Amino acid sequence: MPQPSYTVFSEIYDMVMRDVDYVRWAQYVLKLAAKYRFSTERILNLACGSGALELQLAPRGCRLTGLDSSEAMLEKARAKMAEHGLTVDFHLGDMRKFKLNGTFPLVLCLYDSINYLLSEEDVARCFTAVAQHLSPGGGFIFDITTEYNIMANFSNFTFAENFERFAYIWENSYNLGSKICTSDVTVFLPDESGRYFTRTTERHRQKIYPQRTIQNLLRETGFSLEAAYDGMTLEAPGRQTERIHFVCRR
Ligand SMILES: C[S@@+](CC[C@H](N)C(=O)[O-])C[C@H]1O[C@@H](n2cnc3c(N)ncnc32)[C@H](O)[C@@H]1O
């Protein structure tokens, strides 16, 4: 029976994602914030994961609040901030129904995290909760992964790596009918003796939404769309766009 997502995977997440360029991602977000005149003084980062973006943004003078539904990922994020002497306010919570004190001029939700919401109702719930936490005129920047990306890079693809300390196998399948990509991640970690490995599988499910659906949901939840961009560019999304960044205003 697979475990829920981001339990054991949290142990290896940073290594598996070691090639993700969070420096560039942080710069891109700051560039969008400047372009659309959103203050970056206080930022709420939904689905913050292990704090990789916080590590880039906190030293630049942004006051960050991170929220994630995985305690294991938050533990990694807290440890990372402590190691770098940074202060970030982390909360365990569900991005579909969270309640934090105060409002923020900017809310982020990056790296395909919205795709973890498996129905339009859940996406709308998340957008509504975001709207309730935004200052008037505040910005919401998030991304989604596209069907093109899933078909080109994930559907029926298996990734595996064998490190000295651990190994993993990441098996992906995509259902064109339900638009759900299921990823079973099997992680082999050393047990306490260090002589044996324990094997744990966790299941991730992500849903693909057309750009139009997301834009309709934004409108229905009171956002105005400023722009939708292909990846980390300022170009409009095209047929081979792997990730779309949305910039919205409340
Ligand atoms: C692909 S990771 C991205 C993490 C981080 N944004 C990054 O860029 O590394 C997806 C994250 O979404 C979180 N997540 C999934 N569903 C969530 C929900 N309903 N509420 C809050 N966090 C959620 C997971 O726990 C995980 O940390």
Side-chain angles (χ1 to χ4, degrees), residues 6 13 22 47-49 68-70 73 93-95 110-111 113 116:
Y6 295 101
Y13 183 82
Y22 285 102
C48 62
D68 201 281
S69 58
S70 161
M73 291 293 270
D94 187 326
M95 60 181 158
L110 300 174
Y111 206 0
S113 300
Y116 277 90

Side-chain angles (χ1 to χ4, degrees), residues 6-7 9-11 13 48-51 68 70-78:
Y6 295 101
T7 45
F9 191 42
S10 67
E11 289 300 325
Y13 183 82
C48 62
S50 63
D68 201 281
S70 161
E71 184 53 45
M73 291 293 270
L74 288 174
E75 253 175 51
K76 299 290 173 194
R78 288 190 194 101

Side-chain angles (χ1 to χ4, degrees), residues 20 22 25 28-29 32 45-47 53 95 107-117 123 126-127 140-146 149 206-207 209 214 218 227-232 241-248:
V20 177
Y22 285 102
W25 218 327
Y28 180 64
V29 164
L32 292 180
N45 187 21
L46 295 178
L53 199 76
M95 60 181 158
V107 177
L108 307 175
C109 185
L110 300 174
Y111 206 0
D112 313 340
S113 300
I114 289 289
N115 296 96
Y116 277 90
L117 305 179
V123 177
C126 171
F127 289 175
F140 179 31
I141 299 174
F142 66 95
D143 66 51
I144 55 164
T145 195
T146 62
N149 188 25
Q206 288 174 283
K207 187 167 169 100
Y209 296 98
I214 294 292
L218 284 168
Y229 292 123
D230 171 4
M232 285 190 220
T241 293
E242 295 186 351
R243 182 169 294 109
I244 304 175
H245 280 96
F246 293 87
V247 183
C248 330

